[in-house]
Amino acid sequence: YLVVDEDGKESISIGDIEFRFSLDNDIKTKVCETIFDKDELEVKNEWVDVRPIPRYDSWFENVWNDFRNEKIFK
């Protein structure tokens, strides 16, 4: 995605429209969570810390192999 910054040092043109933006390296440890509040009919954005990737061995190939070898259901 591209966040428009009217004071940005970088630019991109799409047709006759020019968008200015800045490159931000401070967001490498953040993710933008976007939530639609249906009661308020509004979109809320919040930068939150990146969560670690869970460590587990439940990849499809492993689970499918266990299923086929009747290790899950007998």
Side-chain angles (χ1 to χ4, degrees):
Y1 61 87
L2 181 68
V3 177
V4 176
D5 178 3
E6 292 179 9
D7 298 324
K9 296 178 182 177
E10 308 292 332
S11 68
I12 186 171
S13 295
I14 300 175
D16 295 339
I17 302 171
E18 180 181 63
F19 296 98
R20 301 206 62 77
F21 62 96
S22 297
L23 297 175
D24 188 359
N25 291 328
D26 294 336
I27 63 170
K28 290 182 181 178
T29 61
K30 301 280 185 185
V31 63
C32 183
E33 288 187 349
T34 302
I35 299 170
F36 176 69
D37 186 333
K38 66 180 180 178
D39 297 325
E40 298 293 324
L41 295 177
E42 69 178 348
V43 176
K44 299 177 182 179
N45 296 305
E46 181 181 2
W47 288 99
V48 297
D49 291 333
V50 174
R51 293 180 294 273
I53 297 173
R55 299 194 80 158
Y56 60 93
D57 198 29
S58 295
W59 300 102
F60 171 79
E61 291 83 359
N62 297 332
V63 174
W64 182 245
N65 186 50
D66 286 347
F67 174 78
R68 293 195 63 191
N69 291 311
E70 298 183 349
K71 293 180 180 177
I72 294 178
F73 298 104
K74 294 185 179 190

